[in-house]
Amino acid sequence: MKKILTIVLALTMILALAACGSAASPAAETTSTLDTVLSSGKLRVAIIPDNPGWSVLGSDNEYTGYDADIARSLADALGVKLEFVNTDGAGRVPTIQSGKADVVIACLTATNERAKLVSFTDPYAASGILGLCLDSKVFESWDDLATAKIAVPRGSTNDVFATEAYPDAEIVRFDQIADAFTALKTGKVDVLLEEDTTVNDLAEKNEGLTVMPVEQQRSSYLCMAIPRGDSIWMDYLNNFIRNGLYSGDFNEIYKTHFSHDLPSMLIY
């Protein structure tokens, strides 16, 4: 009887130890986007095709702009082929959520609302909001927009700002920045609100336009966006961004497209 009891106790201890070992075993991690990119030899970058200074798709089917060059630099660092995935302002977050791209590099502000849906890297650029007007109708202050007809890219921080700041204004939303710009040029709207470097670029390259003589609104960091929960991919991208900023490479790319240095909040 004593021998049987000893055997039962021994088996009980073995089973208990096995159970503990099983509970302590870490769950297998899902494959990181970094591994997928390296194994496939391809990096898919979501980008806006009509964002002057940042990313413009030309008639030769080639992208120019700061975002486009940062994407090329990233692909070169990874040693893979670059594939651009066209999107618009409102489609940047859904493009990542749906798995159509590996990363968004598209002048994207890291708002708290967006951070509920995607993860943001360290900032690689910065911007604020300015207004672009016709020479024949220049708004001298932000208060002057209270009853104006305001064009904004749909779902952008410009859209959020205009909606909150001007409840009595007519907010006209466009899926493409180019369409919003055309609406301004043809007098269908009074002012276009956009990122400050885009506004300055449009004013410099097109006659009959004036940048509102005001301080820019809601200066903020621009970040890359990736799916939530991929710490390995996040670590790599943050390392890439830190090296690009510290070395001055990003600043040189920025000056190529905007003729001045990156905002001081980003320069080491």
Side-chain angles (χ1 to χ4, degrees):
M1 183 67 180
K2 184 182 291 186
K3 186 176 181 180
I4 293 174
L5 181 60
T6 300
I7 293 172
V8 170
L9 289 173
L11 288 173
T12 301
M13 291 179 66
I14 291 171
L15 291 173
L17 289 171
C20 290
S22 176
S25 299
E29 291 187 7
T30 56
T31 301
S32 170
T33 299
L34 175 59
D35 297 322
T36 301
V37 168
L38 293 175
S39 62
S40 68
K42 179 175 68 177
L43 173 69
R44 301 170 303 159
V45 175
I47 198 165
I48 296 175
D50 64 336
N51 196 4
W54 296 91
S55 51
V56 174
L57 183 60
S59 57
D60 57 357
N61 207 36
E62 291 292 329
Y63 268 98
T64 58
Y66 179 73
D67 280 345
D69 283 348
I70 293 297
R72 292 188 181 97
S73 179
L74 176 58
D76 287 345
L78 289 163
V80 299
K81 180 181 177 181
L82 175 62
E83 177 183 308
F84 285 120
V85 179
N86 290 346
T87 186
D88 55 28
R92 289 171 293 183
V93 168
T95 297
I96 278 295
Q97 290 180 302
S98 63
K100 294 178 181 178
D102 302 311
V103 59
V104 170
I105 306 179
C107 206
L108 186 60
T109 304
T111 65
N112 291 335
E113 286 302 309
R114 288 171 177 161
K116 296 175 183 177
L117 306 172
V118 295
S119 291
F120 288 106
T121 65
D122 291 343
Y124 71 99
S127 71
I129 298 172
L130 279 178
L132 185 64
C133 316
L134 295 175
D135 287 348
S136 58
K137 190 177 183 180
V138 178
F139 294 93
E140 302 289 342
S141 75
W142 287 109
D143 290 340
D144 293 342
L145 301 187
T147 57
K149 198 169 185 179
I150 304 171
V152 294
R154 190 186 311 278
S156 64
T157 50
N158 312 288
D159 187 352
V160 174
F161 166 70
T163 302
E164 293 176 352
Y166 306 110
D168 296 323
E170 182 179 350
I171 312 298
V172 185
R173 298 172 176 84
F174 296 87
D175 291 326
Q176 304 294 333
I177 296 172
D179 294 335
F181 179 63
T182 299
L184 174 66
K185 286 280 288 182
T186 55
K188 295 180 180 178
V189 297
D190 301 318
V191 60
L192 166 62
L193 298 188
E194 242 302 335
E195 187 272 334
D196 58 301
T197 51
T198 298
V199 166
N200 286 316
D201 186 74
L202 289 170
E204 180 181 343
K205 295 178 178 177
N206 296 273
E207 295 183 356
L209 299 173
T210 296
V211 178
M212 285 179 62
V214 294
E215 292 291 326
Q216 67 183 37
Q217 296 291 304
R218 300 195 178 181
S219 297
S220 57
Y221 286 123
L222 302 178
C223 302
M224 301 178 190
I226 64 172
R228 294 188 303 176
D230 193 341
S231 60
I232 296 174
W233 187 216
M234 178 66 74
D235 288 344
Y236 181 85
L237 292 173
N238 283 338
N239 191 72
F240 167 77
I241 291 168
R242 284 192 297 268
N243 286 336
L245 290 173
Y246 185 74
S247 67
D249 291 346
F250 284 15
N251 192 50
E252 290 304 312
I253 294 172
Y254 191 88
K255 286 196 295 185
T256 297
H257 298 289
F258 299 116
S259 301
H260 57 85
D261 289 328
L262 274 165
S264 57
M265 57 207 288
L266 284 159
I267 295 178
Y268 282 83

